[in-house]
Amino acid sequence: MTIIGMLHHRKDPTTVVKAYAFAAIAAAEGAQFYYFSPGEVNFVNRTIKGQVYENGKWTTKIMPFPDVIYNAGSPEKLAKSKNVMKKLKNDIPFTTHSIGNKWSVSRRLKEAKDFASYLIPTEVVKHADHFLHYMSAFEKVVFKPIDGRKGQGIYFIVKDEEQFVVRGHGFYRTFFTAQIEEFIANQLEKETFIVQPYIQSVTKSGQVFDFRLHVQKDGNGEWVITTIYPRVAPKGSIIANINSGGYTNYLDPFLEQEFKQDAYNIRKKLEYFSLALAKHLDELQMEKFGEVIDEIGVDIGMDDNQKIWIYEVNWRPGCPPTFYLEMDVVKNTIQYAMYLANNQEVIKKKIRAVKRSRAKQQDQIPIIGITGSAGKTTTKAFLASILSKKWNVFESKDYWNTTEHTKKHAAEINASHQAVVLEYGMAYPGVITEHCNIIKPNMSIVTNIGLAHVGNFNGDPRGVAKAKSELIHGMDQTGILCVNRDNDNSKYLETDNFKGKIVTVGIHRHAHYRAYDVQYAENGMNFKMKLHNEEIELFIPIFGEHHIYNALSAIAIADQLGFTPMEIKTGLIFKKPPRRLTIYDCKDQIKLIDDTVHSHPEGVRAAIDVLTNIAKKRKIAIIGQMRELGNLREAEYQKVGEYVQQQGIDILITYGFRTEEIGAHAIAKGMKASNVHHFTDREKLHALLKDLLQKEDTILIKGASKTNMFETVQFIDRTFR
């Protein structure tokens, strides 16, 4: 007997209307059913405290893990139990996988091309001016939240000479230009909106309507049409959604009334479109995420020429508003859940076949994932700059390296891109695996393994290496991996089972791509290396030997992709990421070094090296907190203090909680106490700097973004401008 578990964020099944329907249909279909929430899962005993419907009431029972889980709760609320969800998904097949929001679904269909002609042109609204430009082109638009549901927050806006007529659910206003700008800006502060041209479907009596196509998989894993029905807006309204006052009708009478002799053909067109779109989205989900979907609701319009336009695709559509159809939905869901539980190998085989088939349809483009304790953003910028010399490159934005950012990138990458360069950040185990599940690289770079976030790994760099190794496990196993030969902790990376090609970079040790004759130049670094047995001289417009490694990683991947030495040399003249050893030339020949994005011990020492190499007279280091060092903090602060003294820094200023330990150790190693200062009050720090700074001083400000040390950069720049 198949055991089906319904997972919901609410603990009480009596508050979830469909829970009873699922229990009743499951019993009729010969399946065992229970309801549960994430907090009731016991992974040790592989049991769940579930709710079983017996004798007219819900009873609490300890149940074994189910064979399949119907995922019924709110994704946002279940996200609080992320670890539980992840563990369950590793063990048990889930129904109801997300296909994304309105924007990502639109982008996905657009890049796959097959259904692009049915999409209404859509843009994410960046600001009020952007919206006004769009209005100038279309005059009638729909302005709606990117993650909206049930017709909420949708506005229909018409430009009428110098005015804008705005209508929404219970909302009707007329605005002049300045007022519409303020209105749009206020909406954008709350959430992200998209804008589309307004394509209306109108009945003979003048009422707005659309069609809801509800499609599911059945007990054989095949797509079937649950129902197609029109939704008609009340007179005077332009929103057909039922939750906004719309009402439904039966399909055949509606088609006969509105389309007469074309009714039969339109019905067949809607049925064919429903199944074709469902199969297409299912294949895209298999291709991109290795998942299958089982239910979608599609809202479409039809213009005067009977052309279909997709308004929205919902992966968790509400039940049709009649009880017998609701039971049909539940019956299909239960039967499909039973199929899913008992046919995992069949489904996996199908996913593999779809991936192979779709791979043949398009050449594989380079997708490069970059991780490491330091240097990710700079390496990404170097590589994207080189590749852009002949390709259209998708590059993740500066410092956009969370899994949420990767989800956004997945929605933005399209068929026009010839290469993808992404930064994968992490602070805990499992994060990089999630990155790779969203976008799987076929080429990867691990810049180094250091002490960034080491406090989250019991102070052990091997834990950091294991977490970074998730990129190696999550990438294409026949791809290309680039690692840092000079970085001692990189030996802990898990490369033994990797079947692809490994290339190495280095300066001090032998490597496939090795730099030598490294020198500081006027505005950056010079170095030499051999490519294909030919020596080339290279320059990067950023200071620090540590950035040579970042450049070498980019060079290695570009060379593997067939870029010429000239293209590489040109590409290294890149746009430097902001606040990464940015140099400000202030008055009185004072030079200010801004390095206020990230801070960890290796990075602090590297920044001090830059300070000592470019300073002409006094060297002043202002050092802030280094976070997430855990029980290594005291020892690492002492090492930094010792390094400051060894490198001959003239004045040391520390800022923030416990950073006085750095100064104390610098003094212990021989630095003059009068040249060491500590602050926790930024205003007092700034007051000292006003009196302290002299002509031709060079000042390094090193700190993480969270410590807001960029404010001190701005203060010095403003004061000594």
Side-chain angles (χ1 to χ4, degrees):
M1 178 181 284
T2 302
I3 304 175
I4 302 172
M6 175 187 275
L7 172 64
H8 204 284
H9 60 274
R10 294 181 194 157
K11 291 184 177 180
D12 184 358
T14 63
T15 64
V16 179
V17 175
K18 59 185 176 182
Y20 166 73
F22 274 81
I25 296 293
E29 294 294 324
Q32 189 173 10
F33 176 90
Y34 65 87
Y35 177 102
F36 73 100
S37 58
E40 309 300 337
V41 180
N42 185 326
F43 286 102
V44 175
N45 299 325
R46 293 182 63 81
T47 59
I48 295 175
K49 188 193 290 185
Q51 302 287 322
V52 180
Y53 194 80
E54 294 178 329
N55 302 319
K57 64 180 181 179
W58 292 97
T59 305
T60 301
K61 286 190 173 183
I62 301 300
M63 303 295 291
F65 270 19
D67 300 308
V68 62
I69 292 175
Y70 173 58
N71 185 15
S74 159
E76 293 79 15
K77 292 178 180 176
L78 285 173
K80 296 175 183 175
S81 305
K82 183 178 175 181
N83 291 335
V84 173
M85 296 285 289
K86 184 178 177 182
K87 283 186 179 180
L88 287 173
K89 285 181 178 178
N90 285 339
D91 245 9
I92 304 167
F94 269 53
T95 68
T96 323
H97 290 288
S98 169
I99 60 173
N101 59 31
K102 298 175 179 66
W103 177 246
S104 60
V105 171
S106 174
R107 290 298 297 262
R108 195 180 297 185
L109 290 172
K110 196 178 292 182
E111 79 183 56
K113 296 180 181 176
D114 303 55
F115 282 80
S117 63
Y118 299 101
L119 295 170
I120 300 172
T122 303
E123 286 193 36
V124 172
V125 182
K126 297 172 184 173
H127 42 70
D129 282 346
H130 180 205
F131 172 82
L132 290 174
H133 291 154
Y134 202 88
M135 284 245 52
S136 298
F138 291 101
E139 294 190 339
K140 292 182 179 181
V141 303
V142 182
F143 178 68
K144 58 186 178 182
I146 196 168
D147 288 314
R149 285 178 61 82
K150 300 182 178 179
Q152 297 301 308
I154 297 176
Y155 298 95
F156 297 84
I157 305 175
V158 178
K159 186 177 181 182
D160 183 12
E161 294 183 355
E162 296 302 315
Q163 293 184 319
F164 298 84
V165 180
V166 182
R167 303 170 73 181
H169 184 55
F171 186 93
Y172 183 93
R173 292 276 303 273
T174 300
F175 294 115
F176 289 104
T177 302
Q179 294 169 317
I180 194 73
E181 283 183 313
E182 184 180 359
F183 173 78
I184 297 298
N186 287 339
Q187 299 304 314
L188 296 180
E189 283 182 6
K190 300 173 189 173
E191 55 189 312
T192 303
F193 276 75
I194 57 176
V195 63
Q196 300 172 322
Y198 179 36
I199 297 173
Q200 275 187 320
S201 303
V202 182
T203 66
K204 290 176 180 176
S205 62
Q207 290 169 274
V208 171
F209 76 91
D210 64 21
F211 293 105
R212 163 57 66 92
L213 319 175
H214 195 133
V215 192
Q216 292 179 279
K217 281 185 179 170
D218 64 9
N220 296 312
E222 300 295 331
W223 285 103
V224 294
I225 297 168
T226 306
T227 183
I228 298 174
Y229 56 93
R231 305 184 302 182
V232 185
K235 285 191 176 181
S237 174
I238 50 178
I239 300 177
N241 190 294
I242 296 164
N243 292 284
S244 301
Y247 60 92
T248 64
N249 204 333
Y250 291 103
L251 181 63
D252 286 335
F254 179 83
L255 292 178
E256 287 167 9
Q257 175 183 307
E258 297 298 327
F259 299 99
K260 302 298 183 186
Q261 67 271 19
D262 291 330
Y264 178 80
N265 288 337
I266 290 175
R267 181 190 178 102
K268 289 298 178 186
K269 180 193 287 190
L270 294 174
E271 289 174 346
Y272 175 80
F273 184 83
S274 301
L275 294 174
L277 180 60
K279 289 174 183 175
H280 184 64
L281 285 169
D282 199 15
E283 288 191 357
L284 288 178
Q285 192 80 2
M286 294 183 211
E287 178 192 10
K288 287 179 175 293
F289 304 111
E291 300 171 344
V292 290
I293 57 174
D294 52 85
E295 181 178 17
I296 60 169
V298 187
D299 299 336
I300 66 165
M302 191 173 286
D303 64 20
D304 294 340
N305 299 316
Q306 296 181 5
K307 174 174 169 49
I308 290 174
W309 292 97
I310 298 173
Y311 290 158
E312 285 184 24
V313 179
N314 298 292
W315 60 279
R316 303 185 62 162
C319 283
T322 54
F323 184 73
Y324 79 91
L325 284 176
E326 180 178 339
M327 297 307 282
D328 285 347
V329 171
V330 175
K331 185 176 180 180
N332 281 334
T333 303
I334 292 293
Q335 290 179 347
Y336 174 69
M338 295 170 71
Y339 170 84
L340 189 65
N342 298 304
N343 291 276
Q344 276 298 291
E345 286 307 311
V346 173
I347 292 168
K348 288 175 183 176
K349 186 176 178 181
K350 185 174 183 180
I351 291 171
R352 288 194 294 269
V354 166
K355 286 187 173 185
R356 283 195 301 269
S357 173
R358 297 189 74 86
K360 289 178 183 177
Q361 296 171 19
Q362 55 186 5
D363 294 328
Q364 188 182 52
I365 68 169
I367 301 175
I368 303 106
I370 303 170
T371 194
S373 295
K376 296 183 292 294
T377 304
T378 309
T379 302
K380 176 196 66 182
F382 273 131
L383 181 56
S385 178
I386 296 170
L387 301 187
S388 67
K389 296 308 161 191
K390 65 177 182 181
W391 289 344
N392 179 26
V393 179
F394 180 90
E395 175 191 3
S396 55
K397 296 178 183 177
D398 290 332
Y399 316 126
W400 278 40
N401 62 13
T402 68
T403 53
E404 289 305 308
H405 293 140
T406 301
K407 289 175 186 175
K408 291 180 181 178
H409 297 148
E412 293 169 355
I413 297 164
N414 59 55
S416 72
H417 294 120
Q418 296 165 286
V420 175
V421 185
L422 303 169
E423 181 181 341
Y424 287 173
M426 75 94 208
Y428 298 95
V431 175
I432 292 179
T433 296
E434 188 174 348
H435 280 295
C436 293
N437 287 339
I438 301 165
I439 302 177
K440 182 178 183 177
N442 45 45
M443 306 180 84
S444 294
I445 297 170
V446 182
T447 60
N448 49 55
I449 303 300
L451 299 181
H453 308 299
V454 73
N456 299 333
F457 297 88
N458 298 318
D460 190 347
R462 287 174 293 187
V464 178
K466 185 175 180 63
K468 297 294 184 184
S469 295
E470 292 173 19
L471 179 60
I472 301 170
H473 304 316
M475 69 177 288
D476 181 343
Q477 293 301 287
T478 60
I480 295 174
L481 169 67
C482 178
V483 297
N484 187 334
R485 189 86 167 77
D486 286 354
N487 177 242
D488 288 335
N489 289 329
S490 288
K491 67 187 176 190
Y492 299 123
L493 289 169
E494 298 170 355
T495 59
D496 289 349
N497 295 320
F498 181 66
K499 300 294 188 289
K501 182 177 183 180
I502 300 176
V503 296
T504 57
V505 300
I507 299 174
H508 305 292
R509 293 175 181 165
H510 176 75
H512 295 106
Y513 296 87
R514 185 182 178 207
Y516 53 90
D517 285 354
V518 174
Q519 298 176 358
Y520 277 76
E522 183 64 29
N523 296 304
M525 307 294 293
N526 288 324
F527 63 99
K528 296 176 183 176
M529 67 179 299
K530 285 188 177 179
L531 274 180
H532 309 291
N533 294 319
E534 194 172 316
E535 185 178 80
I536 58 174
E537 296 182 6
L538 299 167
F539 169 78
I540 56 172
I542 187 169
F543 289 114
E545 182 180 275
H546 58 300
H547 286 308
I548 301 289
Y549 291 104
N550 302 330
L552 286 171
S553 296
I555 291 166
I557 295 296
D559 181 58
Q560 293 292 315
L561 290 170
F563 278 70
T564 67
M566 184 54 70
E567 288 165 338
I568 290 170
K569 187 168 185 171
T570 306
L572 289 176
I573 312 300
F574 77 141
K575 181 183 177 184
K576 188 172 67 63
R579 294 164 54 193
R580 289 296 179 96
L581 294 172
T582 300
I583 308 297
Y584 292 76
D585 289 311
C586 304
K587 72 177 182 180
D588 296 331
Q589 299 176 55
I590 292 172
K591 198 177 286 288
L592 172 61
I593 307 169
D594 171 15
D595 201 16
T596 56
V597 175
H598 299 303
S599 190
H600 47 80
E602 298 98 326
V604 171
R605 285 190 284 272
I608 290 169
D609 287 344
V610 172
L611 172 61
T612 59
N613 275 281
I614 71 171
K616 293 178 180 177
K617 291 199 174 178
R618 285 202 310 175
K619 301 179 288 290
I620 301 171
I622 305 175
I623 300 174
Q625 274 180 281
M626 289 167 269
R627 297 171 176 242
E628 296 183 336
L629 291 176
N631 57 16
L632 295 183
R633 191 205 72 251
E634 184 176 355
E636 290 302 322
Y637 276 16
Q638 288 179 1
K639 289 178 187 176
V640 169
E642 183 173 353
Y643 198 72
V644 165
Q645 191 275 332
Q646 287 175 349
Q647 296 303 307
I649 302 303
D650 297 293
I651 296 173
L652 170 64
I653 302 172
T654 55
Y655 176 78
F657 178 68
R658 301 295 290 271
T659 55
E660 68 270 20
E661 295 171 10
I662 299 171
H665 207 69
I667 293 168
K669 290 296 178 178
M671 192 169 182
K672 285 185 180 180
S674 59
N675 290 339
V676 177
H677 307 271
H678 171 70
F679 293 96
T680 54
D681 185 319
R682 197 184 311 276
E683 295 304 316
K684 291 180 179 177
L685 164 62
H686 292 177
L688 172 71
L689 291 174
K690 265 187 179 179
D691 299 327
L692 180 70
L693 296 187
Q694 299 175 7
K695 186 176 181 179
E696 297 187 17
D697 279 348
T698 302
I699 311 107
L700 165 69
I701 303 180
K702 178 66 178 173
S705 295
K706 290 180 180 178
T707 58
N708 298 318
M709 293 190 71
F710 185 62
E711 292 180 19
T712 300
V713 173
Q714 293 174 310
F715 169 77
I716 294 174
D717 182 50
R718 206 166 45 238
T719 306
F720 296 90
R721 184 171 296 163

